[in-house]
């Protein structure tokens, strides 16, 4: 019955409204507000009608008073004087004839219907139709930087929702009684409620709702793999694309920040206990925020010269602007959290020394040791670990070389080995340095690419080539021991392995040479040995990661807790934050009981 | 921020010594360990070995040769100036124990690092033979300090302007031919010197440790930029080193890897001159 485009009506704004015949606008500016002017026939007499800009039929002014419930005989365009009455569509409420107008939303023209009965509740749609139409609203996409322009700069790619798009997207949410999305979130954000608040345009309250569970929404909205978490379980996703929960999260966090609505809560109780946190990445920041708000005095130790861990050295500017990270860190500083930079725990201070001064220690150092493939010639010049490549470009700002002193690695034909987010980040960084060709070499097929879908799409849009089912065998150097090529072998998928993914098997004799002058190895990371060298009594599992009690995140050493990648191996920001939350609660419980 | 409390120019101003206030590092640093220094907001992170420390004064001593942009900028700093970031002590400390007679070989700026290791070996009661060398007389550093610590010290210069004429390998060969009680050799200096020393000691099956100086960024094992091949295995100099068994190190690869950024270094310097 209705065009799919009627979805826009859910959404209140100043609409441009046109006559369907002459396409002249009905909009007029009054002194205090905008409104829409019509001519109408009422009791055989031509009168002036004035509607509010929201096409709210309760708000009608007329030159002759119209009694409630009375029918207006005809609606006329004041310009072309043609009748606006639609023959096809009756009112969804009372069945009366309706007037058809054309409204323009986002440069689209869609029909809209107004009941001829004065003060009829109905305007445009019935409630039942509205719900049907909810399903018809397509998932809204964030406006993005042009593909051709963005490869020449390091600015963020998606611009984020406007408040209009956010409210429209939030309007798609079915508000399930038994929401599944919450289960998919490692920190159990109250997703339906924050989405409803966005639909009601209460963006500030929505931000507060998220912050009850997640202190870094601006970051998680950008880097969480929502498609395998909350959005994967969205009921709407069964019939259509799921609600863009991540993009909405990002929107409200950005809204709150840009509108300067962030308020630092006052801390009511002060406990005379100090907590040390090792590493200022997502896990550490979560523990710090939680415990500081409970009244502890928290100190974060960071080995690098900047806070944020993987958020600053790993994730590039175009995916997560560093100004956002520093804003969130500033928030923690305002809470009273202390930051000690340039402290390598295990070297500058050991864990045992920390325990002398602090009631508890949380280790959130991440999995920072790069993995290499151990193939021939891997030490050639211009073969980088993704950690080194990204640390140079992001942390050391080599992309601004020579303004910044750290040299920028450059290659004409760049190869990135791996299929995760880090591989996408490396490849997309490389294309921004002006490389003529960037290829991702991954040993499995497209379905197994572990990166976020959005990253893969962005990478493809930016012209990055995917060489799937291919694995490097060895590197080839020139006489200067610089990389000039890579021998690869084609793979096929065999039986599923322990991870449930089909194991790639090399196809004998399919070797070929790929010409390249810069390679980035992005095949994962391992646990950094520095802490363990001086704290041998921390128990580790067979992969070298820290062993913890999953209920409390406590390690084998009393009062020492751990969470994030140093426990799980390379994972996501939000999982690290989830672990941090568990640890913070357990630390609080243990220290309260001890007191 | 870390304050420079003493600055001394050595070797015609091409080698500089800084004493920097860094009490936490001073209380921990052992011979052979290094720090990462970043002098300002736009600076790069460079590794510098701790040449000495004074736990009571809370200072560490850094000695560096002016080779690139960062070290050139560091030379322009004065006493009282602040260095933005100093992080450490990093790397494994030298394995120091009483083993009898050791020979310490140092060349150029490497003598500064060698001096800290020598001190440690002397303190535990070893008989220490020192051999230090440089291109010419003015480039010999820390000779008096070394002489005070070593039971025997030989100085060589390439042009013969001071001490014996020739390379450090010549007196070393003489010692190795004469004395059979030398248990260990420590060689710290330019890559070519360490390589030649190792080639020599290999013939006498004398265990030899070297201190490597690859390009580093974080210095905490995170980036893998400092990887070196030792015994055909990839090792990270910052966490597995910086001291390695010299007989197993692939010096040629190290030399090539250290020269990757030569051109960028030049561009960077030219940029700042402009």
């Amino acid at each position: 019955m209705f065009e799919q485009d009627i979805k826009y009506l859910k959404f209140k704004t100043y609409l441009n409204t046109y006559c369907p015949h002459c396409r002249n606008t009905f909009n007029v500016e009054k002194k205090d507000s905008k409104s829409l002017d019509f001519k109408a026939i009422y009791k055989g007499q031509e009168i002036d009608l004035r509607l509010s800009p929201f096409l709210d039929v309760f708000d009608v002014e007329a030159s002759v008073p119209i009694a409630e419930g009375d029918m207006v005989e005809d609606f006329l365009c004041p310009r072309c004087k043609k009748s606006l009455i639609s023959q096809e569509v009756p009112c969804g409420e009372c069945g009366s004839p309706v007037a058809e107008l054309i409204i323009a939303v986002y440069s689209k023209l869609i029909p809209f219907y107004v009941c001829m009965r004065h003060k009829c509740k109905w305007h445009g749609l019935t409630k039942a139709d509205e719900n049907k139409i909810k399903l018809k609203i397509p998932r809204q996409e964030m406006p993005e930087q042009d593909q051709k322009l963005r490869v020449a700069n390091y600015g963020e790619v998606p611009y984020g929702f406007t408040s209009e798009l956010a409210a429209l997207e939030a309007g798609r949410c079915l508000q399930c009684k038994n929401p599944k999305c919450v289960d998919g979130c490692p920190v159990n954000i109250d997703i339906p409620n924050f989405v409803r608040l966005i639909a009601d345009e209460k963006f500030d309250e929505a931000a507060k709702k998220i912050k009850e569970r997640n202190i870094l929404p601006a970051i998680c909205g950008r880097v969480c793999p929502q498609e395998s978490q909350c959005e994967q379980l969205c009921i709407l996703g069964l019939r259509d694309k799921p609600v863009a929960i991540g993009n909405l999260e990002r929107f409200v966090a950005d809204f709150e920040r840009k509108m300067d609505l962030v308020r630092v809560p006052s801390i009511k109780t002060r406990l005379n206990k100090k907590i040390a946190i090792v590493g200022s990445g997502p896990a550490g920041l979560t523990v710090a925020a939680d415990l500081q708000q409970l009244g502890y005095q928290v100190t974060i130790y960071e080995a690098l010269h900047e806070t944020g861990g993987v958020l600053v050295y790993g994730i590039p500017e175009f995916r997560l602007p560093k100004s956002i990270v520093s804003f969130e860190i500033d928030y923690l500083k305002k809470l009273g959290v202390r930051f000690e930079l340039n402290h390598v725990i295990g070297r500058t201070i050991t864990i045992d020394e920390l325990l002398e001064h602090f009631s508890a220690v949380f280790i959130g150092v991440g999995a920072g040791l790069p993995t290499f493939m151990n193939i021939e010639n891997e030490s050639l010049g211009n073969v980088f670990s993704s950690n080194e490549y990204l640390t140079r470009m992001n942390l050391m700002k080599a992309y601004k070389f020579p303004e910044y002193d750290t040299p920028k690695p450059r290659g004409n034909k760049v190869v990135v080995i791996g299929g995760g987010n880090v591989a996408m980040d490396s490849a997309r960084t490389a294309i921004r340095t002006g490389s003529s060709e960037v290829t991702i070499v991954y040993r499995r097929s497209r379905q197994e690419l572990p990166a976020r879908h959005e990253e893969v799409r962005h990478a493809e849009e930016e012209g990055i080539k995917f060489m799937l089912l291919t694995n490097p065998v060895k590197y080839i150097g020139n006489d200067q021991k610089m990389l000039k090529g890579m021998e690869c072998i084609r793979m096929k998928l065999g039986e599923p392995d322990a991870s449930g993914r089909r194991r790639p098997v090399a196809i004998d004799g399919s070797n070929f040479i790929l010409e390249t002058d810069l390679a980035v190895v992005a095949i994962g990371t391992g646990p950094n040995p520095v802490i363990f060298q001086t704290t041998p009594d921390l128990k580790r599992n067979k992969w070298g990661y820290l062993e913890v009690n999953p209920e409390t995140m406590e390690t084998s050493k009393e009062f020492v807790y751990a969470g994030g990648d140093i426990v799980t191996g390379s994972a996501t920001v939000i999982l690290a934050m989830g672990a941090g939350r568990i640890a913070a609660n357990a630390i609080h419980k243990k220290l309260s009981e001890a007191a | 921020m870390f304050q420079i409390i003493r600055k001394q120019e050595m070797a015609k101003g091409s080698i500089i010594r800084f004493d920097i206030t860094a009490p936490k590092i001073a209380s921990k640093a052992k011979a052979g360990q290094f720090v990462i220094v970043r002098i300002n907001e736009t600076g790069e992170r460079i590794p510098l070995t701790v040449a000495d420390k004074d736990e009571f004064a809370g200072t560490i001593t850094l000695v560096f040769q002016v080779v690139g942009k960062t070290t050139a900028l560091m030379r322009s700093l004065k006493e009282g100036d602040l260095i933005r970031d100093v992080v450490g002590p990093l790397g494994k400390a030298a394995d120091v124990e009483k083993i009898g007679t050791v020979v310490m070989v140092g060349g150029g700026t490497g003598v500064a690092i060698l001096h800290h290791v020598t001190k440690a070996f002397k303190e535990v009661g070893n008989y220490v033979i020192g051999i230090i060398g440089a291109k010419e007389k003015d480039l010999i550093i820390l000779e008096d300090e070394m002489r005070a610590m070593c039971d025997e010290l030989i100085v060589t210069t390439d042009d013969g302007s001071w001490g014996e004429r020739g390379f450090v390998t010549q007196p070393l060969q003489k010692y190795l031919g004469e004395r059979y009680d030398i248990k260990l050799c420590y060689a710290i200096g330019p890559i070519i010197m360490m390589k030649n020393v190792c080639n020599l000691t290999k013939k006498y099956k004398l265990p030899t440790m070297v201190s490597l100086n690859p390009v580093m960024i974080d210095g905490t094992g995170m980036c893998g930029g400092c990887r070196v091949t030792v015994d055909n295995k990839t090792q990270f100099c910052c966490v597995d080193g910086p001291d390695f068994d010299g007989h197993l190190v692939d010096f040629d690869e190290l030399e090539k890897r250290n020269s990757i950024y030569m051109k960028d270094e030049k561009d960077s310097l030219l940029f700042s001159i402009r």
Side-chain angles (χ1 to χ4, degrees), chain A residues 312-348:
Chain A
V312 292
Y313 77 72
I315 302 176
E317 177 76 20
F318 55 81
R319 193 145 84 84
L320 177 63
K322 300 304 155 241
S323 57
I324 292 176
V325 180
S326 60
F327 183 88
E328 302 292 350
I329 304 266
D330 279 347
Y331 175 80
L332 289 190
K333 284 183 183 159
K334 285 180 196 153
L335 270 181
V337 176
R338 285 180 205 164
F339 286 88
E340 291 276 6
L341 301 176
N342 294 322
H343 279 68
V344 181
I345 301 305
R347 293 264 194 258
T348 318

Side-chain angles (χ1 to χ4, degrees), chain A residues 305 342-343 347-348 353 368-370 378-380 383-385 387-388 391-392 401-402 405 410 480 528, chain B residues 24 28 38 42-45 69 85 87-89 217 220-223 225 227 253 256-257 261 264 271:
Chain A
H305 58 260
N342 294 322
H343 279 68
R347 293 264 194 258
T348 318
E353 284 167 326
L369 197 75
E378 210 159 27
S379 290
L380 287 173
V383 179
F384 293 92
S385 73
N387 267 12
E388 180 181 359
T391 302
R392 275 178 185 276
F401 179 83
D405 295 348
R410 273 150 297 183
Q480 290 303 304
N528 190 305
Chain B
K24 280 181 192 159
K28 281 283 162 59
R38 189 177 76 128
T42 59
E44 54 183 336
R45 290 169 70 102
K69 180 174 177 183
D85 301 296
V87 56
I217 301 178
T220 61
M222 198 185 82
C223 77
R227 59 192 190 275
E253 179 191 285
K256 286 284 192 289
R257 280 188 69 82
Y261 297 103
D264 288 315
F271 175 81

Side-chain angles (χ1 to χ4, degrees), chain A residues 77-103:
Chain A
C77 169
R79 304 271 159 72
C80 67
K81 308 274 185 202
K82 280 189 182 153
S83 170
L84 300 174
I85 292 197
S86 159
Q87 300 305 321
E88 293 127 43
V89 185
C91 168
E93 186 74 19
C94 60
S96 313
V98 291
E100 181 184 344
L101 318 170
I102 300 291
I103 62 174

Side-chain angles (χ1 to χ4, degrees), chain A residues 532-550:
Chain A
F532 309 117
Q533 285 173 356
T534 50
T535 322
D537 50 339
L538 280 173
K539 219 167 147 193
R540 298 157 76 186
N541 64 21
K542 61 176 172 178
W543 298 282
Y545 295 106
L546 271 176
E547 217 167 87
V548 296
N549 174 352

Side-chain angles (χ1 to χ4, degrees), chain A residues 47 70 86 131 138 164 168 194 199 211 237 240 243 281 319 345 352 355 379 387 448 475 490 542 552 558 590:
Chain A
I47 59 165
D70 266 10
S86 159
N131 268 342
E164 287 84 4
L168 182 60
F194 100 73
K211 283 211 168 155
D240 188 13
V243 176
R319 193 145 84 84
I345 301 305
D352 291 303
L355 281 171
S379 290
N387 267 12
E448 287 84 13
Y475 297 98
R490 297 277 183 207
K542 61 176 172 178
T552 61
E558 206 182 6
K590 181 147 187 168

